Amino acid sequence: MDVSVTMWATTVGVLIALIVADFFIGGRKPHEVSIKEAGIWTAVWVVLAVLFGGFLWWHSGAQPAGEFFAGYITEKSLSVDNLFVFILIMGKFAVPRVYQQRVLMFGVIIALVLRALFIAGGAALVTQFSWVFFIFGGFLIWTAWKLIKEARAGEETGPDGEAAEFEENRLLKSIERRFPSTDRYHGTKLFVRENGRRLMTPMLIVMLAIGTTDVLFALDSIPAIFGLTQDPYIVFTANAFALMGLRQLYFLIGGLLKRLVHLSYGLSVILGFIGVKLVLHALHEAGAHVPEIGIPFSLGFIVVVLAVTTVTSLTASRKQEQAEREKLDA
């Protein structure tokens, strides 16, 4: 897809305008987000993503549009497992519900900037070295197998295998050691001055925790989307639209995450499928006569897997709740 500098600049400008509008309309004043508000804003971001996909179809044809939708759905589904860790982070830092949307908003912005750097690096690699697809493909297949093993082990883990207790990463620990902080929140302030000293507040720390933790998820989501498209513009915009609606999705389905008991299996199937697709593409680039998996099939496969995973998860959760009620009544 031929994307001019003007189109890049316009796209980034529009995305920034959307983030600013989201902040001033729904996130400027700290408040507890209701299910209704979260549902409306989630629908808005989904509609905006669909409209953008329609724009790509009009501008460049069905292929780029199909790649965008496949990438967007994949990134959106992978981002759901982020929410489990976000819940753990909010609990560890005891973030008041009234401030949680502010934390998520700026945490997602940090994640978006860091992911843009990841995407730029990944695009440079796949452009110069086709053998990188072997590494990406192998990594995704290994990640898929790891998810299945963890799900079958029945450990108390999140959707992507994270332990049920959040552990701060090295960057966060380093920041906390070097910069003193207060032990309580001061509204939405990031810094306060106490006894002549400038101190961080837990608000800044938890924002950094959300943003930097999301980068760890990019280690599988970025290779996954490069398995669906090698166009940096589509990779970036699919990630942007998937991330920008994450804050509202947190409040909309946060309480339902525990019901998605088969999510790890569904994500493992998707990652394994894209890993195989990447390996086949790498073999094709190396001159081997192997079939390549097209975008229409990839998009349909991803949608079907997510639909089946959701249905089986809800069914299994309902049976488990019913069994627990019967056990209590006995």
Side-chain angles (χ1 to χ4, degrees), residues 125-136:
L125 283 175
V126 299
T127 300
Q128 297 295 324
F129 309 105
S130 60
W131 51 262
V132 170
F133 288 113
F134 283 113
I135 298 176
F136 282 1

Side-chain angles (χ1 to χ4, degrees):
M1 180 177 171
D2 186 19
V3 181
S4 65
V5 175
T6 301
M7 187 170 175
W8 265 109
T10 302
T11 301
V12 173
V14 170
L15 291 175
I16 292 175
L18 290 173
I19 293 173
V20 172
D22 184 19
F23 173 75
F24 280 100
I25 296 174
R28 186 178 183 182
K29 182 179 179 181
H31 64 282
E32 291 191 28
V33 179
S34 66
I35 295 295
K36 179 180 179 181
E37 179 183 348
I40 291 174
W41 275 104
T42 298
V44 167
W45 283 114
V46 171
V47 169
L48 288 173
V50 171
L51 291 175
F52 180 78
F55 163 76
L56 285 182
W57 194 308
W58 169 80
H59 182 271
S60 302
Q63 179 73 12
E67 291 177 357
F68 170 78
F69 284 120
Y72 171 73
I73 293 172
T74 299
E75 293 299 311
K76 201 70 173 177
S77 61
L78 290 172
S79 71
V80 171
D81 61 3
N82 297 33
L83 300 182
F84 183 85
V85 178
F86 289 176
I87 291 173
L88 297 181
I89 293 174
M90 294 292 188
K92 177 180 177 62
F93 291 98
V95 182
R97 286 188 60 83
V98 71
Y99 300 138
Q100 288 185 5
Q101 69 160 343
R102 179 67 63 86
V103 169
L104 287 169
M105 176 173 288
F106 285 95
V108 167
I109 291 173
I110 293 171
L112 184 56
V113 173
L114 294 177
R115 283 203 183 198
L117 298 177
F118 267 61
I119 291 168
L125 283 175
V126 299
T127 300
Q128 297 295 324
F129 309 105
S130 60
W131 51 262
V132 170
F133 288 113
F134 283 113
I135 298 176
F136 282 1
F139 176 73
L140 291 180
I141 293 172
W142 175 80
T143 302
W145 173 242
K146 179 170 172 283
L147 283 178
I148 292 177
K149 286 178 63 178
E150 290 171 345
R152 293 181 64 183
E155 298 174 350
E156 189 180 358
T157 57
D160 196 25
E162 290 79 16
E165 182 177 349
F166 171 73
E167 295 183 2
E168 299 176 13
N169 55 53
R170 291 181 179 180
L171 174 62
L172 203 59
K173 290 180 179 179
S174 175
I175 292 174
E176 290 180 302
R177 284 196 304 266
R178 294 174 182 271
F179 301 96
S181 62
T182 64
D183 57 358
R184 63 187 180 88
Y185 290 89
H186 294 262
T188 58
K189 292 180 180 179
L190 305 182
F191 294 93
V192 295
R193 188 170 294 277
E194 293 183 355
N195 300 323
R197 300 175 63 200
R198 185 177 174 83
L199 304 176
M200 289 192 308
T201 69
M203 178 66 70
L204 177 58
I205 297 173
V206 72
M207 285 181 181
L208 293 174
I210 293 287
T212 55
T213 300
D214 181 82
V215 174
L216 300 178
F217 290 96
L219 294 178
D220 56 24
S221 66
I222 297 301
I225 194 171
F226 270 111
L228 298 169
T229 176
Q230 287 82 60
D231 191 314
Y233 181 79
I234 297 176
V235 172
F236 172 73
T237 51
N239 266 274
F241 278 103
L243 279 177
M244 289 192 299
L246 198 57
R247 175 173 65 91
Q248 291 79 8
L249 198 61
Y250 171 88
F251 295 104
L252 183 63
I253 70 170
L256 299 177
L257 284 178
K258 62 181 180 180
R259 294 177 177 270
L260 300 178
V261 295
H262 295 160
L263 181 61
S264 290
Y265 291 104
L267 294 180
S268 66
V269 171
I270 292 173
L271 290 177
F273 167 77
I274 298 176
V276 171
K277 186 177 185 297
L278 275 170
V279 172
L280 290 175
H281 178 73
L283 290 171
H284 181 79
E285 291 291 312
H289 297 287
V290 295
E292 287 206 81
I293 303 173
I295 286 298
F297 181 85
S298 299
L299 179 58
F301 181 87
I302 293 168
V303 170
V304 169
V305 169
L306 290 176
V308 171
T309 299
T310 301
V311 171
T312 59
S313 292
L314 296 178
T315 301
S317 296
R318 191 158 44 245
K319 289 181 179 179
Q320 183 178 0
E321 291 173 357
Q322 183 177 355
E324 290 176 355
R325 284 197 299 268
E326 292 176 352
K327 185 176 180 180
L328 291 174
D329 293 338

